[in-house]
Amino acid sequence: MYPWHSGVYWCESREGPISNMVNLTVTGGSVILQSPVLPVMEGDDVTLLCKTKTTPSNLPAAFYKDGSLIRKQPTGHMTIQHVSRSDEGLYKCDISGHGESPSSWITVTGEHTTTPPPTSTPPPTSTPPPISSSLPGSTSNILPPVLSVLSFVGSVCVVVLLVLLVLLVRRCVHRKPDGETQTS
């Protein structure tokens, strides 16, 4: 995937409505931070690995937590020994000359769990989305919102016309014929 694959994606079929729209942003970075996906237990050791997509994985890297430098490691990996709740946070790494990784949230818990932590980046997809709906300036990126707005405006117009029709019919039904006089 490339940065120009960023855009709004959805699924649609001839038989049914379209799915919810999802905005995907693809960054051009080549640095990856490998970290635990599930929460880690207090007291466990956690190893973070900073690597690039193209070059060897043992390059020197700087590791950050919540935007502050923790330390620089000559081999691209860092182990946090005996993690505690204070180690929970948003981690990223930087390899000089290659850039920095997207941030990754690490959760520390006192009990085993299978709930994944929040992430700052969307999970990777197993199949790439169609290119036609992801190109910048593609009209298919704005088509579903336009259809939604047009559908709403059309519905409002139909309701207004129905109300006017009911008022017109009521006026005609309650109208007295010409020449009829009112008696008291």
Short mmCIF file of all heavy atoms in Angstrom, two decimals, residues 34-94:
data_model
loop_
_atom_site.label_atom_id
_atom_site.label_comp_id
_atom_site.label_asym_id
_atom_site.label_seq_id
_atom_site.Cartn_x
_atom_site.Cartn_y
_atom_site.Cartn_z
N GLN A 34 7.36 -3.36 16.83
CA GLN A 34 6.67 -4.59 17.21
C GLN A 34 6.50 -4.57 18.72
O GLN A 34 7.48 -4.46 19.46
CB GLN A 34 7.46 -5.83 16.78
CG GLN A 34 7.39 -6.09 15.30
CD GLN A 34 8.08 -7.40 14.91
OE1 GLN A 34 8.89 -7.93 15.67
NE2 GLN A 34 7.77 -7.89 13.74
N SER A 35 5.23 -4.67 19.15
CA SER A 35 4.92 -4.62 20.57
C SER A 35 3.75 -5.55 20.85
O SER A 35 3.05 -5.96 19.92
CB SER A 35 4.56 -3.18 20.98
OG SER A 35 3.40 -2.76 20.28
N PRO A 36 3.51 -5.89 22.13
CA PRO A 36 2.39 -6.79 22.43
C PRO A 36 1.05 -6.18 22.03
O PRO A 36 0.82 -4.99 22.23
CB PRO A 36 2.47 -6.94 23.95
CG PRO A 36 3.84 -6.49 24.34
CD PRO A 36 4.26 -5.51 23.31
N VAL A 37 0.19 -7.01 21.46
CA VAL A 37 -1.14 -6.55 21.06
C VAL A 37 -2.09 -6.63 22.25
O VAL A 37 -2.88 -5.72 22.49
CB VAL A 37 -1.68 -7.40 19.89
CG1 VAL A 37 -3.09 -7.01 19.54
CG2 VAL A 37 -0.77 -7.25 18.68
N LEU A 38 -2.01 -7.70 23.01
CA LEU A 38 -2.87 -7.88 24.18
C LEU A 38 -2.24 -7.25 25.40
O LEU A 38 -1.02 -7.02 25.44
CB LEU A 38 -3.12 -9.37 24.43
CG LEU A 38 -3.86 -10.11 23.32
CD1 LEU A 38 -3.95 -11.59 23.64
CD2 LEU A 38 -5.25 -9.53 23.12
N PRO A 39 -3.04 -6.93 26.41
CA PRO A 39 -2.46 -6.38 27.65
C PRO A 39 -1.43 -7.33 28.25
O PRO A 39 -1.57 -8.55 28.14
CB PRO A 39 -3.68 -6.25 28.57
CG PRO A 39 -4.84 -6.12 27.65
CD PRO A 39 -4.50 -6.99 26.46
N VAL A 40 -0.40 -6.76 28.87
CA VAL A 40 0.64 -7.56 29.51
C VAL A 40 0.42 -7.56 31.01
O VAL A 40 -0.13 -6.61 31.58
CB VAL A 40 2.05 -7.04 29.15
CG1 VAL A 40 2.33 -7.20 27.68
CG2 VAL A 40 2.22 -5.59 29.55
N MET A 41 0.84 -8.64 31.66
CA MET A 41 0.66 -8.79 33.10
C MET A 41 1.71 -7.98 33.86
O MET A 41 2.88 -7.92 33.43
CB MET A 41 0.79 -10.26 33.49
CG MET A 41 -0.29 -11.15 32.94
SD MET A 41 -1.81 -10.96 33.86
CE MET A 41 -1.35 -11.61 35.44
N GLU A 42 1.31 -7.39 34.96
CA GLU A 42 2.27 -6.73 35.84
C GLU A 42 3.33 -7.75 36.26
O GLU A 42 3.02 -8.89 36.53
CB GLU A 42 1.57 -6.20 37.09
CG GLU A 42 0.86 -4.88 36.89
CD GLU A 42 0.33 -4.32 38.19
OE1 GLU A 42 -0.66 -4.86 38.69
OE2 GLU A 42 0.91 -3.33 38.68
N GLY A 43 4.59 -7.32 36.23
CA GLY A 43 5.68 -8.20 36.62
C GLY A 43 6.34 -8.92 35.45
O GLY A 43 7.46 -9.40 35.56
N ASP A 44 5.65 -9.00 34.30
CA ASP A 44 6.24 -9.64 33.12
C ASP A 44 7.28 -8.74 32.48
O ASP A 44 7.27 -7.52 32.67
CB ASP A 44 5.16 -9.96 32.07
CG ASP A 44 4.28 -11.13 32.46
OD1 ASP A 44 4.59 -11.81 33.47
OD2 ASP A 44 3.28 -11.37 31.76
N ASP A 45 8.18 -9.34 31.69
CA ASP A 45 9.11 -8.57 30.88
C ASP A 45 8.49 -8.37 29.50
O ASP A 45 7.84 -9.27 28.96
CB ASP A 45 10.44 -9.32 30.71
CG ASP A 45 11.21 -9.45 32.02
OD1 ASP A 45 10.86 -8.74 32.99
OD2 ASP A 45 12.14 -10.26 32.08
N VAL A 46 8.67 -7.18 28.93
CA VAL A 46 8.13 -6.86 27.61
C VAL A 46 9.27 -6.40 26.72
O VAL A 46 10.03 -5.50 27.09
CB VAL A 46 7.05 -5.76 27.70
CG1 VAL A 46 6.60 -5.33 26.32
CG2 VAL A 46 5.87 -6.24 28.52
N THR A 47 9.38 -7.01 25.54
CA THR A 47 10.41 -6.62 24.58
C THR A 47 9.76 -5.90 23.41
O THR A 47 8.81 -6.40 22.80
CB THR A 47 11.19 -7.84 24.08
OG1 THR A 47 11.84 -8.46 25.20
CG2 THR A 47 12.23 -7.44 23.05
N LEU A 48 10.29 -4.71 23.11
CA LEU A 48 9.86 -3.93 21.95
C LEU A 48 10.94 -4.03 20.90
O LEU A 48 12.13 -3.93 21.20
CB LEU A 48 9.65 -2.46 22.35
CG LEU A 48 8.69 -2.19 23.50
CD1 LEU A 48 8.66 -0.70 23.81
CD2 LEU A 48 7.30 -2.69 23.17
N LEU A 49 10.54 -4.24 19.65
CA LEU A 49 11.48 -4.37 18.54
C LEU A 49 11.19 -3.29 17.52
O LEU A 49 10.05 -3.15 17.05
CB LEU A 49 11.35 -5.75 17.90
CG LEU A 49 12.19 -6.02 16.66
CD1 LEU A 49 13.68 -5.93 16.99
CD2 LEU A 49 11.86 -7.39 16.09
N CYS A 50 12.20 -2.52 17.17
CA CYS A 50 12.07 -1.46 16.18
C CYS A 50 12.84 -1.89 14.94
O CYS A 50 14.03 -2.16 15.01
CB CYS A 50 12.65 -0.15 16.75
SG CYS A 50 12.32 1.29 15.72
N LYS A 51 12.13 -1.95 13.81
CA LYS A 51 12.80 -2.40 12.59
C LYS A 51 12.24 -1.68 11.38
O LYS A 51 11.19 -1.03 11.46
CB LYS A 51 12.66 -3.91 12.43
CG LYS A 51 11.25 -4.41 12.25
CD LYS A 51 11.25 -5.92 12.14
CE LYS A 51 9.91 -6.43 11.63
NZ LYS A 51 9.96 -7.85 11.34
N THR A 52 12.95 -1.82 10.27
CA THR A 52 12.48 -1.24 9.01
C THR A 52 11.95 -2.36 8.13
O THR A 52 12.24 -3.53 8.35
CB THR A 52 13.60 -0.49 8.27
OG1 THR A 52 14.59 -1.44 7.88
CG2 THR A 52 14.23 0.59 9.14
N LYS A 53 11.18 -1.97 7.12
CA LYS A 53 10.62 -2.96 6.21
C LYS A 53 11.67 -3.52 5.25
O LYS A 53 11.51 -4.61 4.75
CB LYS A 53 9.48 -2.34 5.39
CG LYS A 53 8.29 -1.91 6.21
CD LYS A 53 7.25 -1.24 5.32
CE LYS A 53 6.09 -0.71 6.13
NZ LYS A 53 5.14 0.04 5.31
N THR A 54 12.72 -2.75 5.00
CA THR A 54 13.64 -3.12 3.94
C THR A 54 15.05 -3.51 4.39
O THR A 54 15.71 -4.28 3.72
CB THR A 54 13.77 -1.95 2.94
OG1 THR A 54 14.16 -0.78 3.66
CG2 THR A 54 12.46 -1.69 2.22
N THR A 55 15.54 -2.96 5.49
CA THR A 55 16.93 -3.20 5.89
C THR A 55 16.98 -4.14 7.10
O THR A 55 15.95 -4.45 7.67
CB THR A 55 17.63 -1.87 6.23
OG1 THR A 55 16.87 -1.22 7.24
CG2 THR A 55 17.74 -0.98 5.01
N PRO A 56 18.16 -4.58 7.49
CA PRO A 56 18.26 -5.49 8.64
C PRO A 56 17.59 -4.92 9.90
O PRO A 56 17.51 -3.71 10.07
CB PRO A 56 19.77 -5.63 8.85
CG PRO A 56 20.38 -5.27 7.54
CD PRO A 56 19.45 -4.29 6.89
N SER A 57 17.14 -5.81 10.77
CA SER A 57 16.36 -5.41 11.93
C SER A 57 17.20 -5.01 13.14
O SER A 57 16.65 -4.70 14.18
CB SER A 57 15.42 -6.55 12.34
OG SER A 57 14.53 -6.82 11.30
N ASN A 58 18.50 -5.02 13.02
CA ASN A 58 19.32 -4.72 14.20
C ASN A 58 19.95 -3.33 14.15
O ASN A 58 21.04 -3.12 14.66
CB ASN A 58 20.40 -5.79 14.37
CG ASN A 58 21.28 -5.91 13.13
OD1 ASN A 58 21.01 -5.28 12.12
ND2 ASN A 58 22.32 -6.72 13.21
N LEU A 59 19.26 -2.38 13.56
CA LEU A 59 19.76 -1.01 13.50
C LEU A 59 19.53 -0.31 14.83
O LEU A 59 18.57 -0.61 15.54
CB LEU A 59 19.02 -0.23 12.39
CG LEU A 59 19.28 -0.69 10.96
CD1 LEU A 59 18.34 0.03 10.01
CD2 LEU A 59 20.72 -0.46 10.57
N PRO A 60 20.40 0.65 15.20
CA PRO A 60 20.19 1.41 16.44
C PRO A 60 18.85 2.16 16.37
O PRO A 60 18.47 2.68 15.33
CB PRO A 60 21.36 2.40 16.47
CG PRO A 60 22.38 1.82 15.54
CD PRO A 60 21.62 1.04 14.50
N ALA A 61 18.16 2.22 17.51
CA ALA A 61 16.85 2.87 17.55
C ALA A 61 16.66 3.61 18.86
O ALA A 61 17.19 3.22 19.90
CB ALA A 61 15.75 1.84 17.39
N ALA A 62 15.89 4.70 18.78
CA ALA A 62 15.49 5.45 19.97
C ALA A 62 14.05 5.08 20.29
O ALA A 62 13.20 5.03 19.39
CB ALA A 62 15.62 6.95 19.71
N PHE A 63 13.77 4.83 21.56
CA PHE A 63 12.42 4.43 21.99
C PHE A 63 11.79 5.54 22.82
O PHE A 63 12.46 6.16 23.66
CB PHE A 63 12.48 3.13 22.80
CG PHE A 63 12.83 1.93 21.97
CD1 PHE A 63 14.15 1.61 21.72
CD2 PHE A 63 11.84 1.14 21.42
CE1 PHE A 63 14.48 0.51 20.94
CE2 PHE A 63 12.15 0.04 20.64
CZ PHE A 63 13.48 -0.27 20.40
N TYR A 64 10.48 5.80 22.56
CA TYR A 64 9.76 6.87 23.23
C TYR A 64 8.49 6.33 23.89
O TYR A 64 7.85 5.41 23.37
CB TYR A 64 9.34 7.94 22.21
CG TYR A 64 10.50 8.62 21.53
CD1 TYR A 64 11.12 8.05 20.42
CD2 TYR A 64 10.96 9.85 21.99
CE1 TYR A 64 12.19 8.67 19.81
CE2 TYR A 64 12.03 10.48 21.38
CZ TYR A 64 12.64 9.88 20.28
OH TYR A 64 13.70 10.51 19.67
N LYS A 65 8.15 6.92 25.03
CA LYS A 65 6.87 6.62 25.69
C LYS A 65 6.17 7.94 25.93
O LYS A 65 6.74 8.86 26.52
CB LYS A 65 7.08 5.90 27.02
CG LYS A 65 5.78 5.67 27.79
CD LYS A 65 6.04 5.03 29.15
CE LYS A 65 4.76 4.92 29.91
NZ LYS A 65 4.57 6.00 30.86
N ASP A 66 4.93 8.04 25.45
CA ASP A 66 4.12 9.25 25.59
C ASP A 66 4.88 10.50 25.11
O ASP A 66 4.81 11.56 25.72
CB ASP A 66 3.65 9.43 27.04
CG ASP A 66 2.78 8.27 27.50
OD1 ASP A 66 2.04 7.71 26.67
OD2 ASP A 66 2.84 7.91 28.70
N GLY A 67 5.65 10.34 24.02
CA GLY A 67 6.36 11.46 23.41
C GLY A 67 7.72 11.78 24.00
O GLY A 67 8.44 12.62 23.49
N SER A 68 8.10 11.13 25.11
CA SER A 68 9.40 11.42 25.75
C SER A 68 10.37 10.27 25.51
O SER A 68 9.99 9.10 25.58
CB SER A 68 9.22 11.58 27.26
OG SER A 68 8.38 12.68 27.53
N LEU A 69 11.63 10.63 25.23
CA LEU A 69 12.66 9.62 24.99
C LEU A 69 12.88 8.78 26.24
O LEU A 69 13.06 9.31 27.34
CB LEU A 69 13.97 10.30 24.58
CG LEU A 69 15.18 9.38 24.36
CD1 LEU A 69 14.96 8.49 23.15
CD2 LEU A 69 16.45 10.21 24.21
N ILE A 70 12.83 7.45 26.06
CA ILE A 70 13.14 6.53 27.16
C ILE A 70 14.64 6.24 27.13
O ILE A 70 15.36 6.51 28.08
CB ILE A 70 12.37 5.20 27.04
CG1 ILE A 70 10.87 5.44 27.02
CG2 ILE A 70 12.75 4.25 28.16
CD1 ILE A 70 10.06 4.20 26.69
N ARG A 71 15.07 5.68 25.99
CA ARG A 71 16.50 5.41 25.80
C ARG A 71 16.77 5.00 24.36
O ARG A 71 15.87 4.65 23.62
CB ARG A 71 17.01 4.35 26.78
CG ARG A 71 16.37 3.00 26.64
CD ARG A 71 16.97 2.04 27.69
NE ARG A 71 16.25 0.80 27.74
CZ ARG A 71 15.44 0.43 28.72
NH1 ARG A 71 15.22 1.24 29.72
NH2 ARG A 71 14.84 -0.73 28.69
N LYS A 72 18.06 5.06 24.00
CA LYS A 72 18.51 4.62 22.69
C LYS A 72 19.16 3.27 22.84
O LYS A 72 19.92 3.05 23.79
CB LYS A 72 19.49 5.63 22.09
CG LYS A 72 18.86 6.99 21.81
CD LYS A 72 19.85 7.96 21.20
CE LYS A 72 19.16 9.29 20.94
NZ LYS A 72 20.06 10.26 20.33
N GLN A 73 18.85 2.36 21.93
CA GLN A 73 19.39 1.00 21.99
C GLN A 73 20.18 0.72 20.71
O GLN A 73 19.69 0.99 19.60
CB GLN A 73 18.26 -0.02 22.13
CG GLN A 73 17.50 0.06 23.45
CD GLN A 73 18.37 -0.33 24.62
OE1 GLN A 73 18.79 0.53 25.38
NE2 GLN A 73 18.63 -1.61 24.77
N PRO A 74 21.38 0.15 20.83
CA PRO A 74 22.23 -0.08 19.65
C PRO A 74 21.71 -1.20 18.74
O PRO A 74 22.09 -1.25 17.57
CB PRO A 74 23.59 -0.44 20.27
CG PRO A 74 23.27 -0.95 21.63
CD PRO A 74 22.04 -0.22 22.08
N THR A 75 20.87 -2.07 19.24
CA THR A 75 20.43 -3.23 18.43
C THR A 75 18.98 -3.15 17.97
O THR A 75 18.48 -4.08 17.36
CB THR A 75 20.61 -4.53 19.22
OG1 THR A 75 19.84 -4.44 20.43
CG2 THR A 75 22.08 -4.76 19.55
N GLY A 76 18.26 -2.06 18.28
CA GLY A 76 16.89 -1.93 17.80
C GLY A 76 15.84 -2.65 18.64
O GLY A 76 14.69 -2.72 18.25
N HIS A 77 16.25 -3.20 19.77
CA HIS A 77 15.24 -3.79 20.65
C HIS A 77 15.46 -3.34 22.09
O HIS A 77 16.59 -3.05 22.49
CB HIS A 77 15.20 -5.32 20.54
CG HIS A 77 16.37 -6.02 21.14
ND1 HIS A 77 17.52 -6.26 20.43
CD2 HIS A 77 16.58 -6.51 22.38
CE1 HIS A 77 18.39 -6.89 21.21
NE2 HIS A 77 17.85 -7.05 22.40
N MET A 78 14.36 -3.24 22.82
CA MET A 78 14.41 -2.77 24.20
C MET A 78 13.50 -3.66 25.04
O MET A 78 12.36 -3.95 24.65
CB MET A 78 13.91 -1.32 24.27
CG MET A 78 13.86 -0.77 25.68
SD MET A 78 13.20 0.91 25.76
CE MET A 78 11.46 0.58 25.63
N THR A 79 14.00 -4.09 26.18
CA THR A 79 13.20 -4.90 27.09
C THR A 79 12.87 -4.08 28.33
O THR A 79 13.77 -3.51 28.96
CB THR A 79 13.95 -6.19 27.48
OG1 THR A 79 14.20 -6.95 26.30
CG2 THR A 79 13.12 -7.03 28.45
N ILE A 80 11.60 -4.03 28.66
CA ILE A 80 11.15 -3.40 29.90
C ILE A 80 10.96 -4.54 30.89
O ILE A 80 10.11 -5.41 30.69
CB ILE A 80 9.82 -2.64 29.71
CG1 ILE A 80 9.93 -1.63 28.56
CG2 ILE A 80 9.39 -1.97 31.00
CD1 ILE A 80 8.60 -1.02 28.15
N GLN A 81 11.77 -4.54 31.92
CA GLN A 81 11.72 -5.64 32.89
C GLN A 81 10.72 -5.35 33.99
O GLN A 81 10.60 -4.21 34.45
CB GLN A 81 13.11 -5.90 33.46
CG GLN A 81 14.09 -6.34 32.40
CD GLN A 81 15.44 -6.70 32.98
OE1 GLN A 81 15.80 -6.29 34.08
NE2 GLN A 81 16.22 -7.46 32.22
N HIS A 82 10.00 -6.39 34.37
CA HIS A 82 9.02 -6.32 35.47
C HIS A 82 8.09 -5.11 35.30
O HIS A 82 8.08 -4.20 36.12
CB HIS A 82 9.73 -6.25 36.83
CG HIS A 82 10.78 -7.29 37.01
ND1 HIS A 82 10.49 -8.64 37.03
CD2 HIS A 82 12.12 -7.20 37.16
CE1 HIS A 82 11.61 -9.32 37.19
NE2 HIS A 82 12.62 -8.48 37.26
N VAL A 83 7.30 -5.11 34.22
CA VAL A 83 6.43 -3.97 33.93
C VAL A 83 5.44 -3.74 35.07
O VAL A 83 5.02 -4.67 35.76
CB VAL A 83 5.65 -4.15 32.60
CG1 VAL A 83 6.58 -4.18 31.42
CG2 VAL A 83 4.75 -5.35 32.63
N SER A 84 5.10 -2.47 35.23
CA SER A 84 4.08 -2.07 36.21
C SER A 84 3.08 -1.18 35.48
O SER A 84 3.27 -0.83 34.31
CB SER A 84 4.72 -1.32 37.37
OG SER A 84 5.26 -0.09 36.92
N ARG A 85 2.04 -0.79 36.19
CA ARG A 85 1.01 0.06 35.57
C ARG A 85 1.59 1.37 35.06
O ARG A 85 1.07 1.96 34.12
CB ARG A 85 -0.11 0.33 36.56
CG ARG A 85 -0.79 -0.92 37.05
CD ARG A 85 -2.18 -1.00 36.64
NE ARG A 85 -2.77 -2.24 37.16
CZ ARG A 85 -3.87 -2.72 36.75
NH1 ARG A 85 -4.54 -2.11 35.81
NH2 ARG A 85 -4.34 -3.84 37.24
N SER A 86 2.67 1.84 35.66
CA SER A 86 3.28 3.09 35.21
C SER A 86 3.94 2.95 33.83
O SER A 86 4.24 3.95 33.18
CB SER A 86 4.30 3.59 36.23
OG SER A 86 5.38 2.68 36.32
N ASP A 87 4.16 1.71 33.37
CA ASP A 87 4.74 1.49 32.04
C ASP A 87 3.68 1.54 30.95
O ASP A 87 4.00 1.52 29.76
CB ASP A 87 5.46 0.14 32.00
CG ASP A 87 6.71 0.14 32.87
OD1 ASP A 87 7.50 1.09 32.77
OD2 ASP A 87 6.86 -0.82 33.67
N GLU A 88 2.41 1.57 31.32
CA GLU A 88 1.33 1.65 30.34
C GLU A 88 1.41 2.99 29.62
O GLU A 88 1.66 4.03 30.23
CB GLU A 88 -0.01 1.51 31.06
CG GLU A 88 -1.19 1.40 30.12
CD GLU A 88 -2.45 1.02 30.87
OE1 GLU A 88 -2.66 -0.19 31.09
OE2 GLU A 88 -3.22 1.91 31.23
N GLY A 89 1.23 2.96 28.29
CA GLY A 89 1.27 4.21 27.54
C GLY A 89 1.44 4.01 26.05
O GLY A 89 1.34 2.89 25.54
N LEU A 90 1.71 5.12 25.37
CA LEU A 90 1.83 5.15 23.92
C LEU A 90 3.31 5.14 23.55
O LEU A 90 4.05 6.08 23.87
CB LEU A 90 1.15 6.41 23.39
CG LEU A 90 0.68 6.43 21.95
CD1 LEU A 90 -0.28 5.28 21.65
CD2 LEU A 90 0.00 7.75 21.64
N TYR A 91 3.75 4.07 22.88
CA TYR A 91 5.16 3.88 22.55
C TYR A 91 5.38 4.07 21.05
O TYR A 91 4.50 3.78 20.24
CB TYR A 91 5.63 2.48 22.96
CG TYR A 91 5.77 2.30 24.44
CD1 TYR A 91 4.65 2.06 25.24
CD2 TYR A 91 7.01 2.37 25.05
CE1 TYR A 91 4.78 1.90 26.62
CE2 TYR A 91 7.16 2.21 26.43
CZ TYR A 91 6.03 1.98 27.20
OH TYR A 91 6.16 1.82 28.55
N LYS A 92 6.58 4.55 20.72
CA LYS A 92 7.02 4.62 19.32
C LYS A 92 8.53 4.54 19.32
O LYS A 92 9.18 4.65 20.37
CB LYS A 92 6.52 5.88 18.62
CG LYS A 92 7.13 7.17 19.13
CD LYS A 92 6.59 8.37 18.37
CE LYS A 92 7.17 9.66 18.93
NZ LYS A 92 6.66 10.83 18.23
N CYS A 93 9.08 4.32 18.12
CA CYS A 93 10.54 4.28 18.01
C CYS A 93 10.98 5.05 16.78
O CYS A 93 10.17 5.35 15.90
CB CYS A 93 11.04 2.83 17.96
SG CYS A 93 10.53 1.92 16.48
N ASP A 94 12.28 5.36 16.74
CA ASP A 94 12.85 6.13 15.64
C ASP A 94 14.19 5.52 15.26
O ASP A 94 15.03 5.28 16.13
CB ASP A 94 13.03 7.59 16.08
CG ASP A 94 13.60 8.45 14.97
OD1 ASP A 94 12.82 8.91 14.12
OD2 ASP A 94 14.84 8.63 14.93
#
